[in-house]
Amino acid sequence: MHPTDSMESIMTGFAGNTPSVSRYWNELKNISDEEKISLIALLSSSMVHEKQETDTPKKGWASRFSGVWKDSRSAEEIIADIRAARTQNTFTTEL
């Protein structure tokens, strides 16, 4: 019995066995144990890294917008343009 034979039965019954997983398994099942361990470490670290990014609050997320706005107008000119563009709410509500 080849060590991958038992894995074949596990892969057959594995709930997450998608066509992609099967394709990767078929490509990788014959690599050496050292290569498999290296691959496991890489995959695991990528999951931990992604989880840490999604679990931690985005502190200072607004700072990435600093300096992004490009405009030749001064702040005062932009403010004046915004104020000039304001409209009155003419919608009336009857109670």
Side-chain angles (χ1 to χ4, degrees), residues 71-84:
D71 203 319
S72 60
R73 299 172 292 170
S74 69
E76 290 77 19
E77 290 172 318
I78 294 171
I79 292 168
D81 288 347
I82 291 170
R83 288 185 174 146

Side-chain angles (χ1 to χ4, degrees), residues 2-18:
H2 193 272
T4 58
D5 292 342
S6 60
M7 285 304 296
E8 294 291 338
S9 62
I10 291 171
M11 288 299 294
T12 303
F14 179 53
N17 190 11
T18 64

Side-chain angles (χ1 to χ4, degrees), residues 9-72:
S9 62
I10 291 171
M11 288 299 294
T12 303
F14 179 53
N17 190 11
T18 64
S20 294
V21 171
S22 294
R23 187 179 70 241
Y24 287 123
W25 172 246
N26 287 330
E27 291 293 323
L28 300 171
K29 66 183 175 185
N30 295 321
I31 64 174
S32 71
D33 288 347
E34 291 87 19
E35 290 172 316
K36 287 176 184 173
I37 290 170
S38 295
L39 183 58
I40 290 168
L42 286 171
L43 290 170
S44 298
S45 68
S46 73
M47 291 170 48
V48 170
H49 180 69
E50 289 172 9
K51 182 169 176 37
Q52 286 174 347
E53 284 181 3
T54 57
D55 287 350
T56 57
K58 301 288 185 190
K59 293 182 180 176
W61 64 270
S63 64
R64 67 182 168 169
F65 299 109
S66 177
V68 175
W69 183 269
K70 303 292 185 214
D71 203 319
S72 60

